[in-house]
């Protein structure tokens, strides 16, 4: 940039400065005197350039010289003092003096003057603005504290007069193509709910301008606001919710004048009003949504629980209390009374009451909470178990008598000539008896199908357990070349009370297992004796045995333990489940034990009959 251009720019800066700028050389001769200095002191530049400026009172010369000396030695001084005007009056001024440098040399001084009254005015303006901003903050806090929409609108209307000094205020809603007055302050309540077309209103005019606030002083006599006596000006601001005009604030002036400060405050309040209205609307929507959710929550036939991120119950609906027999008071703040599946999975769980529940859960990612839904599937579970057991009985339990019939028939066919007459008659008798029992067994299939539901329709009567044991073991020794069977029954074994057919099923299954799980052969012993009020039958084998931790699990449905060699024998794991169910239905019990010397002992205990031959349902 050329030197001439620099001079032009410096001259333009001096001429534009709102403060008086005076430059002096080392001898205090005026080098520069800008237009603001002319206005402040009354001397034109031509009157003072090249001379000493006659603006320093004599009594302040020492102060003035001390300031210049301090600046000359490297510093900047700011102070309040007095200076003469051309008309002889003294001005209260603030002067900021700094060195005029040429290179590194101080060649003079530059002073900037402004009236201290300007400082005071500016201070007062700043203080007033600070007070208004603080008050606006308080008002906004009050408005935002309200969550009831009508109360929010009333508070906004009242705040208009409080902040702007207006004589009255109001708030109108934009409802399609019309306006509706919903809140007034210092105006008759009868004006509320007054409507008008937006097209011919001040709001319409404001919206068409694309601005957010406006002042209007003409054509007010036809407006509803004219009911304020002396109305001369309306300040108008748009409140937007979600970026769309929602309503408008009216500040009405009858005794005061409205200016830019009032307009600015109105604009700020309108912006905050939109936020407050949006918050109130969102709160009302949330209240309605919670009410709907609570109605669904309480009326649901499914049990519903809400857990916090630590698994503690926060909510527990009435159906949950009914399904689990745990009241809300009993579970709130603690874990639910059942295990939880992984989100998206289902868990079927049986409560201590016997009720079966299907449990599903879902995690709310935003809050970390878990919603759990569960329903009663007891009836479906019982039907499923009844179906499973029916199929199990037909496919599994019918095989035992059929095997015996087939075995004896094969023996007669293959060894007819080698068997004596008594042996042939015994074999034919067994075949006939087993054929009859097959018919009876088919009639009693429902006995096993209802085992899982604890509703076995057994016939309780006194019968000879010794006879059933002998019948079950008759002919077994000839079925296997590797096994031998020994039956030890005292001649005075008491009768038991139970179901003879169910006991046949039990004994047949226990003997079949004894053969099955002793594949290398060995002795199978069946022994019975009286023990207190029970009659006990044990079936011992010398087979693979059962590990201690599995002696209870083998009686569960579909369980085949993996320990030892048991898993390789196949089957679906229903036999011992049915055995225990049938034993318990008769008031008895069955259990598994280790056999001394190796193998397994299965112990069946049935109740002793009080009178031989009695038939008690």
């Amino acid at each position: 940039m050329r030197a001439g251009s620099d001079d032009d720019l410096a001259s333009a800066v001096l001429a534009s400065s709102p403060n008086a700028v005076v430059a002096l050389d080392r001898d205090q001769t005026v080098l520069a005197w800008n237009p603001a200095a002319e206005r402040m002191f009354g001397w034109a530049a031509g009157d003072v350039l090249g001379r000493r400026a006659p603006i320093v009172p004599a009594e302040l010369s020492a102060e003035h010289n001390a300031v210049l000396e301090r600046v000359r030695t490297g510093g900047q001084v700011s102070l309040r003092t007095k200076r003469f005007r051309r008309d002889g009056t003294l001005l209260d001024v603030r002067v900021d003096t700094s060195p005029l440098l040429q290179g590194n040399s101080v060649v003079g001084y530059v002073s900037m003057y402004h009236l201290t009254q300007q400082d005071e005015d500016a201070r007062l303006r700043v203080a007033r603005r600070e007070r208004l901003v603080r008050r606006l903050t308080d008002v906004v806090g009050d408005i935002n504290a309200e969550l009831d929409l009508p109360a929010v609108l009333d508070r906004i209307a009242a705040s208009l007069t409080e902040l702007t000094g207006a004589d009255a205020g109001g708030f109108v809603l934009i409802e399609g193509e019309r306006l509706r007055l919903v809140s007034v302050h210092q105006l008759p309540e009868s004006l509320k709910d007054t409507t008008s077309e937006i097209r011919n209103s001040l709001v319409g005019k404001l919206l068409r301008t694309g601005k957010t606030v406006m002042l209007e002083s003409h054509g007010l006599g036809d407006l509803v606001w004219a009911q304020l006596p002396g109305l001369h000006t309306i300040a108008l601001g748009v409140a937007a919710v979600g970026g769309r005009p929602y309503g408008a604030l009216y500040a009405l002036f009858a005794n005061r004048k409205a200016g830019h400060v009032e307009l600015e405050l109105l604009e700020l309040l309108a912006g905050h009003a939109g936020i407050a209205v949006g918050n109130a609307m969102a709160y009302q929507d949330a209240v309605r949504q919670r009410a709907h959710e609570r109605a669904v929550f309480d009326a649901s036939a499914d049990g519903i629980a809400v857990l916090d991120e630590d698994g503690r119950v926060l909510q527990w609906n009435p159906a949950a209390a009914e399904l689990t027999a745990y009241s809300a008071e009993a579970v709130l703040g603690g874990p639910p009374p059942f295990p939880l599946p992984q989100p998206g999975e289902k868990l079927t769980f049986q409560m201590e009451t016997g009720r079966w529940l299907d449990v599903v859960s879902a995690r709310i990612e935003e809050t970390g909470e878990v919603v759990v839904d569960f329903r009663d599937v007891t009836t479906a579970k019982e039907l499923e178990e009844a179906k499973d057991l029916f199929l199990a009985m037909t496919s599994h339990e019918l095989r035992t008598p059929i095997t015996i019939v087939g075995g004896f028939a094969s023996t007669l066919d293959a060894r007819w000539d080698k068997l004596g007459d008594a042996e042939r008659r015994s074999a034919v008798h067994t075949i006939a008896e087993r054929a009859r029992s097959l018919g009876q067994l088919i009639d009693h299939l429902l006995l096993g199908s209802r085992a899982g539901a604890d509703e076995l329709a057994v016939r309780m009567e006194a019968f000879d357990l010794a006879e059933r044991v002998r019948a079950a073991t008759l002919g077994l020794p000839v079925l296997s070349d590797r096994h031998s069977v020994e039956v030890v029954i005292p001649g005075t074994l008491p009768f038991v009370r139970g179901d003879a057919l169910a006991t046949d099923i039990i004994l047949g299954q226990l003997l079949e297992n004894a053969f099955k799980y002793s594949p290398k052969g060995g002795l199978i012993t069946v022994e019975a004796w009286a023990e207190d009020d029970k009659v006990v039958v044990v079936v011992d084998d010398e087979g693979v045995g059962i590990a201690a931790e599995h002696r209870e699990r083998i009686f569960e449905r579909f369980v085949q333990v993996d320990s030892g060699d048991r898993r390789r024998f196949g089957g679906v794991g229903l036999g011992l489940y049915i055995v225990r169910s049938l034993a318990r239905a008769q008031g008895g019990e069955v259990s598994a034990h280790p056999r001394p010397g190796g193998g397994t002992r299965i112990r069946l205990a049935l109740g002793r009959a009080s009178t031989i031959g009695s038939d008690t349902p």
Side-chain angles (χ1 to χ4, degrees):
M1 181 179 293
R2 294 175 300 176
S5 297
D6 291 343
D7 292 342
D8 292 342
L9 178 60
S11 298
V13 170
L14 284 174
S16 302
S17 173
N19 295 319
V21 179
V22 177
L24 307 177
D25 63 12
R26 294 281 297 268
D27 296 328
Q28 300 188 38
T29 300
V30 176
L31 299 175
W33 186 270
N34 74 340
E38 292 182 352
R39 292 190 297 272
M40 177 179 289
F41 298 114
W43 283 282
D47 297 332
V48 294
L49 287 174
R51 301 175 50 203
R52 283 200 173 199
I55 60 175
V56 180
E59 65 271 18
L60 295 177
S61 295
E63 176 192 77
H64 175 64
N65 292 330
V67 167
L68 297 182
E69 181 61 23
R70 172 68 182 276
V71 170
R72 187 185 65 80
T73 57
Q76 182 174 337
V77 177
S78 177
L79 80 160
R80 287 185 61 171
T81 186
K82 294 182 182 294
R83 291 292 184 264
F84 276 126
R85 272 183 59 86
R86 187 169 188 172
D87 59 8
T89 59
L90 282 174
L91 301 175
D92 289 320
V93 297
R94 175 169 292 279
V95 56
D96 299 312
T97 304
S98 57
L100 178 61
L101 297 175
Q102 190 172 43
N104 293 324
S105 301
V106 177
V107 297
Y109 316 94
V110 177
S111 296
M112 296 182 64
Y113 295 86
H114 60 272
L115 298 174
T116 55
Q117 183 61 43
Q118 293 175 342
D119 288 345
E120 184 65 19
D121 292 342
R123 188 187 65 78
L124 292 175
R125 285 195 300 272
V126 170
R128 180 171 179 249
R129 181 175 291 274
E130 288 177 350
R131 286 196 304 271
L132 289 173
V133 169
R134 285 196 298 269
R135 187 60 196 138
L136 176 63
T137 302
D138 294 340
V139 168
V140 169
D142 292 342
I143 294 174
N144 286 328
E146 283 286 355
L147 293 175
D148 178 66
L149 184 56
V152 168
L153 298 177
D154 288 342
R155 188 69 183 89
I156 291 171
S159 301
L160 281 170
T161 60
E162 185 177 356
L163 287 172
T164 65
D167 299 288
F171 191 95
V172 298
L173 286 181
I174 299 173
E175 297 178 335
E177 298 300 320
R178 299 191 67 80
L179 300 174
R180 181 165 62 90
L181 180 57
V182 294
S183 183
V184 294
H185 184 67
Q186 303 296 348
L187 288 170
E189 285 291 318
S190 59
L191 294 180
K192 291 181 69 172
D193 290 324
T194 301
T195 64
S196 63
E197 291 187 0
I198 191 172
R199 181 180 58 185
N200 301 322
S201 68
L202 293 178
V203 175
K205 180 178 179 181
L206 177 58
L207 293 177
R208 287 191 294 272
T209 66
K211 299 179 180 179
T212 56
V213 291
M214 63 179 286
L215 281 175
E216 187 65 45
S217 302
H218 304 287
L220 306 181
D222 295 333
L223 302 179
V224 68
W225 310 109
Q227 292 197 31
L228 177 66
L231 176 68
H232 59 75
T233 303
I234 293 178
L236 185 68
V238 173
V241 176
R244 301 184 63 179
Y246 175 81
L249 294 76
Y250 286 77
L252 312 177
F253 295 87
N255 299 313
R256 288 193 56 198
K257 289 186 178 181
H260 293 293
V261 172
E262 287 72 22
L263 206 60
E264 182 181 353
L265 287 170
L266 179 63
E267 184 174 20
L268 290 172
L269 183 59
H272 287 291
I275 296 172
V277 169
N279 291 341
M281 293 172 64
Y283 175 77
Q284 290 190 341
D285 288 343
V287 168
R288 282 192 295 269
Q289 183 176 352
R290 287 195 200 100
H292 296 160
E293 291 172 351
R294 173 55 63 179
V296 172
F297 185 79
D298 290 343
S300 174
D302 283 9
I304 301 175
V306 179
L307 315 181
D308 65 17
E309 57 186 2
D310 296 320
R312 295 185 293 260
V313 177
L314 299 175
Q315 298 186 56
W316 189 255
N317 76 338
E322 193 278 328
L323 290 174
T324 63
Y326 285 88
S327 66
E329 292 77 11
V331 298
L332 289 178
F338 46 73
L340 295 179
Q342 292 297 318
E345 298 180 1
K346 181 175 73 174
L347 172 69
T348 301
F349 177 78
Q350 187 176 29
M351 301 290 294
E352 293 181 358
T353 59
R355 176 172 277 167
W356 287 90
L357 301 177
D358 269 357
V359 185
V360 296
S361 68
R363 183 179 180 83
I364 303 173
E365 296 299 334
E366 293 78 6
T367 64
E369 296 174 332
V370 175
V371 178
V372 183
D373 182 278
F374 47 97
R375 61 183 57 183
D376 186 355
V377 293
T378 304
T379 302
K381 190 73 174 175
E382 290 173 352
L383 290 174
E384 178 188 352
E385 291 187 347
K387 179 191 70 175
D388 291 346
L389 286 171
F390 176 80
L391 294 174
M393 291 292 290
T394 55
S395 64
H396 188 82
E397 295 305 324
L398 288 175
R399 188 168 62 246
T400 298
I402 291 173
T403 300
I404 293 174
V405 169
F408 276 99
S410 296
T411 299
L412 289 174
D413 181 53
R415 303 179 60 190
W416 179 271
D417 294 334
K418 297 179 181 179
L419 295 175
D421 185 63
E423 291 175 318
R424 288 195 292 268
R425 287 181 179 276
S426 176
V428 171
H429 174 77
T430 300
I431 291 173
E433 184 181 73
R434 289 299 177 179
R436 286 192 301 272
S437 70
L438 279 173
Q440 293 174 335
L441 186 58
I442 291 173
D443 292 336
H444 284 75
L445 280 176
L446 288 177
L447 180 82
S449 70
R450 303 182 68 185
D454 294 330
E455 295 180 2
L456 286 166
V458 296
R459 181 180 181 183
M460 300 299 289
E461 61 183 359
F463 67 92
D464 187 352
L465 180 60
E467 180 184 345
R468 307 321 306 160
V469 172
R470 292 190 187 97
T473 57
L474 183 63
L476 287 179
V478 300
L479 294 180
S480 171
D481 295 335
R482 289 177 293 177
H483 295 85
S484 58
V485 180
E486 181 180 352
V487 180
V488 182
I489 302 177
T492 58
L493 190 69
F495 276 35
V496 296
R497 186 171 182 271
D499 188 298
L501 179 58
T503 303
D504 281 348
I505 296 172
I506 293 172
L507 293 172
Q509 182 64 55
L510 295 183
L511 289 167
E512 181 181 337
N513 280 3
F515 276 85
K516 180 179 180 180
Y517 292 111
S518 54
K520 296 181 180 180
L523 178 64
I524 295 174
T525 304
V526 182
E527 187 174 358
W529 65 83
E531 185 179 283
D532 299 327
D533 61 344
K534 303 284 186 183
V535 176
V536 176
V537 178
V538 297
V539 178
D540 288 349
D541 66 58
E542 297 178 342
V544 298
I546 306 170
E549 65 269 22
H550 297 310
R551 288 178 193 142
E552 273 300 305
R553 292 192 66 235
I554 62 172
F555 294 102
E556 297 177 13
R557 191 167 59 156
F558 305 125
V559 170
Q560 282 201 333
V561 297
D562 294 328
S563 105
D565 296 326
R566 297 182 63 83
R567 187 66 184 166
R568 65 186 175 89
F569 295 105
V572 294
L574 281 170
L576 290 179
Y577 169 75
I578 294 172
V579 163
R580 174 166 278 184
S581 298
L582 292 174
R584 288 178 174 176
Q586 301 177 73
E589 186 56 84
V590 64
S591 55
H593 307 271
R595 173 186 173 277
T600 300
R601 165 171 288 185
I602 303 295
R603 184 180 190 272
L604 169 68
L606 297 175
R608 186 194 297 221
S610 57
T611 303
I612 296 177
S614 66
D615 188 354
T616 305

